[in-house]
Every structure is written in C-alpha cells, then in structure tokens.
Amino acid sequence: MSFHRYRPRLPGGELAPMPWPVSLYRVLNHVAWPLEAESGRWIVFLDRLMIFLGFLVFCEHNEVDFHYLIANRQDMDNLLTGMPTYLILVEMQIRCFQLAWHKDRFRALLQRFYAEIYVSEEMEPHLFASIQRQMLATRVNSTVYLLALFNFFLVPVTNVIYHRREMLYKQVYPFDNTQLHFFIPLLVLNFWVGFIITSMLFGELNVMGELMMHLNARYVQLGQDLRRSAQMLLKKRSSLNVAIAYRLVLTHILRRNAALRDFGQRVEKEFTLRIFVMFAFSAGLLCALFFKAFTNPWGNVAYIVWFLAKFMELLALGMLGSILLKTTDELGMMYYTADWEQVIHQSDNVGENVKLMILVTLAIQLNSRPFFITGLNYFRVSLTAVLKIIQGAFSYFTFLNSMR
C-alpha cells in the first residue's frame, strides 16, 4: 500500500523533494502517514483495518511490557531495564495513534506547506542552504535512532549464537512464548513495533523541523522585503506618492504576515498534544536510560545509544523552536527600523502620512508577541524548556542512584 500513501507535490505539480528521514518515515510508518486524497474506499478501509490491528499489537506489547515491570518490581536494576521500552511504547501509542486519527488534517497541513510556505532551492538558494544547516542536527539524530534500533535487532543474532529464545524487549508473557509456534510470530511483531516507534521518533521530528524552519525562512524573507521596499521608494525621490506607495507595500507585508501566523497556528494545532506527550515522558525516559548506561555501560550499549538519540532529539527540537521564537520576536522590532520615518519625512502628503503612521502603529501592536510552538500551552518549545527537562531527569537519576 506504500504507493497509495500521500506524496507531497509543489504548486507546479512536480513531486516535492523530501529529506531522507521523512521519506523513510513515509515508507515505514503506515499508521501515521496519510493516504492520497483520491484513494478509493477499499484502500481507506484496508488502511483503517491495519491501523486497528496495529493498535491491538501495541496493546499486547503494553501488557507484556508492564507485566515484566510488575514481575521485577522488587529488583530496581531489572525494573529500570524494562522501564525505557515501556515508557517509549506508551508515549508512541498515544502520539502515533492520535496522528492516525487525524491523518486527513495532517495531509492538508502538508499540502498547504508545500503550496505556500516551502522555500525551494531554485528560488532562494541562500535561504534553502541555511535551512539545511539548521536541520543538520535532526538528520544526525535520525541516524543515531536507527543505530539504537539496530542494537535491539542484534538480539536474534545472539539468540542463534547462544541457543536462546529471547524477545527484542523485556517482556513477560502469560504463556510459554519460547515455543516456536509462538516465538516466531511474536518476534516478528517485536520487529514491526520497533520500526513503527523508531520511524515515528525521527520522522515526526524532521517533519516538525521542516515546517518550522521553512516558516522561519518566510519570516526572514518578510523582514528583508520590508526593508528593501522602503529603500527602493526612498531612492525614487518622489515626495507626492511615496507615503501612498509605502502604505500599500506595508499592507501587503501585513497580509503576508497574517498568512504566516495562520499557518503557524495550524502547525501548533497539529503538533501541540504530541509535543506535550513527548516532553511529559522525556524526563523519566532520560533518567532510566542514563541510569542503565551509568551503572553498566558495557552491558547496555543499546541504552547508551538510545540515550544519546533522545538527548539529541530534545536539543534539536529545542534549538529549532528557539530559532523560530527569536526570528518572530525580532520581527516586532523590524517595523521600528523599516525607515518609515524617512518616508514620512520625504512625503508632502499630510493625510497619507497620518494614515501611514496609524498603519505602522497597528503593525507594531500586531507583532508585539512573538510566535512559538507550545505543548498544550503549558510550555514553549525552546532550549530553555529542554534544559529544564534535562535538569529534572538528572535530578531523578541522582535520587535513584542514592537509593541504589
């Protein structure tokens, strides 16, 4: 069914270029990635059936993972061995299937992004190159997450070498899962869950990053156009219509600004719940991962790589959020430095000068509050919020280590 999954297109109809993590996300994650708008009824029905079966698989994993925690509740070391996989399973079940419920809305957001916001390399090579530099951390993070998944996938190899029948994750089943007719299907489900979780982790991060950084580039472009317009009008040395022309330019800039803010609010609506869930689970997950890595580094290589991936994921998202916050915050100051006072000084039309000053005042008021992505309005996505999570995680680790 991968050929029925939505493939973004540019306004001209050609296929939009997608970074490799997003392309991999589209291929691997049938639960989260939307279908094409013109998909037939049977394709939609089959997709929803697969989502429902996938939800049941996640519920089954949830039960056996939690059963492992209950069985080892008296042993802190074993308890914390199973804790990270259980936490990420619950987090991904909420995030992934919440997105599956709103697939059409997500597709509409991507369609609008590529139609209105996307900055192409051909039209704006410098801005595009800047976006690629900003997204470098998310690309590296995707690679580290794949390495973490690879470490878990080494379990079948060790099973063959040492003649064992262990699952990829720490699980306790209510029956003998080592019997071959149970073991093989359950191991396959382990692999499937691993692909869904990992692709969701790095895929959604890259999608959010692309949306935020291209939106950020459009805001940068907005400021450049405003300053350039004022300079061009002042060079004409016209004293009669300069205020009228500048007012028309400023009105157009404000409309573009309103469209960008509306798109940003759509992004906020789409991701706010999933960001809240991600941040809510992050402190406990980082704590458990670091505890396992610290207490037995050679025996927990998978947890070390996973810790690095999670750490980088939070820092990358926080950095991107801070970039967008800083740009939109500076946008409010842009109107103070847009040379409108020089336009008024050069213009002889008093009535138009008054109208221009009123419009400038309105523009400053409208942009007095920067735009930022939040987690259900509880926090802003920024490096400050990420550092607080990391600080909390290490506080939990200190407490657990003292108990140990």
Side-chain angles (χ1 to χ4, degrees):
M1 275 176 51
S2 61
F3 58 89
H4 289 287
R5 292 177 200 167
Y6 171 65
R7 184 68 166 87
R9 294 182 179 274
L10 297 176
E14 61 273 21
L15 292 175
M18 294 193 299
W20 69 264
V22 179
S23 297
L24 202 58
Y25 178 39
R26 174 182 175 270
V27 171
L28 293 178
N29 202 319
H30 70 88
V31 175
W33 195 263
L35 297 173
E36 292 283 3
E38 62 273 10
S39 297
R41 288 186 304 169
W42 284 107
I43 295 297
V44 173
F45 172 77
L46 184 59
D47 181 63
R48 291 176 179 175
L49 177 63
M50 295 296 291
I51 291 172
F52 176 72
L53 294 176
F55 183 79
L56 294 181
V57 171
F58 265 80
C59 290
E60 177 265 330
H61 274 64
N62 219 318
E63 196 279 332
V64 294
D65 280 30
F66 186 68
H67 198 178
Y68 175 88
L69 299 182
I70 295 298
N72 292 275
R73 62 186 180 277
Q74 301 298 332
D75 186 336
M76 179 182 290
D77 191 60
N78 285 336
L79 178 70
L80 291 173
T81 300
M83 185 64 72
T85 51
Y86 178 70
L87 288 176
I88 200 66
L89 181 71
V90 176
E91 177 191 338
M92 286 298 106
Q93 187 165 7
I94 297 172
R95 288 173 56 188
C96 197
F97 289 95
Q98 189 271 343
L99 175 53
W101 188 259
H102 297 286
K103 272 187 175 186
D104 292 343
R105 187 179 71 185
F106 180 49
R107 184 185 60 236
L109 178 66
L110 291 177
Q111 288 172 335
R112 182 176 175 184
F113 168 69
Y114 282 102
E116 302 176 9
I117 306 298
Y118 180 76
V119 177
S120 66
E121 186 175 10
E122 292 76 16
M123 298 296 292
E124 295 286 348
H126 296 294
L127 276 178
F128 186 84
S130 175
I131 293 170
Q132 299 312 303
R133 287 193 298 270
Q134 292 163 343
M135 293 296 295
L136 182 61
T138 65
R139 309 287 191 258
V140 175
N141 175 252
S142 303
T143 304
V144 180
Y145 262 126
L146 289 173
L147 287 175
L149 181 63
F150 175 76
N151 278 282
F152 281 98
F153 284 2
L154 288 177
V155 173
V157 178
T158 60
N159 283 346
V160 173
I161 294 173
Y162 297 108
H163 305 287
R164 298 186 303 218
R165 290 185 180 177
E166 292 185 355
M167 308 305 294
L168 299 187
Y169 321 114
K170 299 300 179 182
Q171 299 173 331
V172 172
Y173 287 82
F175 52 87
D176 184 9
N177 64 296
T178 60
Q179 296 181 36
L180 199 60
H181 58 281
F182 289 135
F183 179 73
I184 297 298
L186 291 173
L187 191 64
V188 171
L189 292 180
N190 274 188
F191 274 96
W192 180 82
V193 168
F195 279 123
I196 293 295
I197 288 177
T198 307
S199 61
M200 184 74 186
L201 284 167
F202 68 73
E204 184 155 72
L205 173 66
N206 278 271
V207 170
M208 281 193 290
E210 289 288 320
L211 296 176
M212 291 165 64
M213 289 305 95
H214 282 266
L215 177 62
N216 179 76
R218 288 299 183 186
Y219 274 119
V220 171
Q221 199 177 48
L222 197 69
Q224 293 172 348
D225 290 348
L226 180 60
R227 287 186 290 269
R228 194 180 299 120
S229 299
Q231 293 166 4
M232 289 176 61
L233 288 172
L234 290 171
K235 285 179 181 178
K236 292 181 179 179
R237 302 293 181 183
S238 172
S239 61
L240 184 61
N241 297 321
V242 64
I244 298 175
Y246 190 75
R247 184 164 60 84
L248 292 175
V249 168
L250 186 57
T251 301
H252 180 63
I253 292 289
L254 285 174
R255 287 173 178 167
R256 286 170 57 190
N257 192 3
L260 293 179
R261 187 167 286 268
D262 180 67
F263 177 79
Q265 290 170 349
R266 289 282 301 276
V267 174
E268 160 86 3
K269 181 180 179 181
E270 177 62 44
F271 292 102
T272 185
L273 173 61
R274 299 198 291 278
I275 290 173
F276 177 82
V277 172
M278 176 201 298
F279 278 48
F281 280 84
S282 291
L285 185 57
L286 283 174
C287 171
L289 289 170
F290 188 69
F291 184 88
K292 295 302 299 180
F294 179 80
T295 53
N296 184 15
W298 294 111
N300 293 297
V301 176
Y303 289 95
I304 294 175
V305 179
W306 189 359
F307 173 81
L308 290 174
K310 188 64 183 178
F311 191 79
M312 290 175 61
E313 177 192 10
L314 291 173
L315 286 179
L317 183 58
M319 179 191 71
L320 298 178
S322 293
I323 290 173
L324 181 59
L325 176 63
K326 181 174 181 291
T327 300
T328 54
D329 189 36
E330 291 174 349
L331 197 65
M333 297 297 296
M334 174 186 72
Y335 295 100
Y336 289 99
T337 59
D339 294 330
W340 57 268
E341 71 281 2
Q342 296 297 326
V343 172
I344 291 176
H345 177 72
Q346 186 171 313
S347 173
D348 294 333
N349 192 327
V350 178
E352 285 298 329
N353 289 351
V354 172
K355 292 179 181 179
L356 178 58
M357 291 182 67
I358 293 173
L359 187 61
V360 170
T361 303
L362 177 62
I364 292 172
Q365 291 175 346
L366 290 175
N367 290 274
S368 59
R369 184 172 179 266
F371 175 77
F372 43 81
I373 306 293
T374 71
L376 292 180
N377 291 320
Y378 279 95
F379 54 83
R380 301 176 181 180
V381 176
S382 65
L383 281 174
T384 303
V386 169
L387 291 176
K388 288 180 180 178
I389 289 174
I390 294 172
Q391 184 181 16
F394 281 97
S395 298
Y396 299 155
F397 163 76
T398 304
F399 172 72
L400 287 177
N401 199 40
S402 64
M403 287 182 62
R404 177 173 172 270

